[in-house]
Amino acid sequence: MFNLVPGSAGAGQIVYALSLKNTSSSACSLHGVPHGTLLGATGAALPTHVTAGAAGRTKHVVLQPGASAVAQARFSSTVAGQGDSQSGMCQPTAYTLQVTATGGGVTDAAIKPPTSVCEQGSLNFEAFDYAG
């Protein structure tokens, strides 16, 4: 899931939280920020640029079966940047964040609610941490 954090909107920015759950029967690990691609309603790739927030906060997160981790992303859904449409929506609406694991594998996280991501799909992610 990639869900809006209620009350997070301000100064042209908004925060969404990406939650990933280990559904396997063995432990897995996450490190740093997510790697992903925004997808439109038909599954077509949209411009996506993931950057890391708060340097030095990187953790190595080991998820036991059934455990979850979360990473928050700050971005603009309303303020157009260079390369964006300057009238109407800045980018097409994104419905899915397709997350790619460093060691292989892909999972789709539904974006709730679907949103446009301005500045050519720029998502500033914090590092993964244990879900609490």
Side-chain angles (χ1 to χ4, degrees), residues 101-118:
T102 302
V106 174
T107 190
D108 288 347
I111 299 174
K112 302 287 181 170
T115 186
S116 179
V117 180
C118 297

Side-chain angles (χ1 to χ4, degrees), residues 12-68:
Q13 298 281 302
I14 196 158
V15 177
Y16 274 59
L18 173 65
S19 299
L20 297 179
K21 181 176 183 177
N22 181 357
T23 59
S24 74
S25 59
S26 58
C28 68
S29 63
L30 301 168
H31 183 75
V33 298
H35 301 280
T37 303
L38 295 165
L39 304 177
T42 64
L46 301 175
T48 310
H49 296 86
V50 175
T51 57
R57 193 178 163 271
T58 300
K59 282 184 160 182
H60 182 82
V61 177
V62 178
L63 295 179
Q64 297 303 318
S68 296

Side-chain angles (χ1 to χ4, degrees), residues 1 4 14 20 30 36 52 55 60 63 76 82 89 100-101 103-104 128-129:
M1 298 182 295
L4 171 67
I14 196 158
L20 297 179
L30 301 168
H60 182 82
L63 295 179
S76 176
Q82 186 174 5
M89 288 181 14
T100 305
F128 277 110
D129 203 349

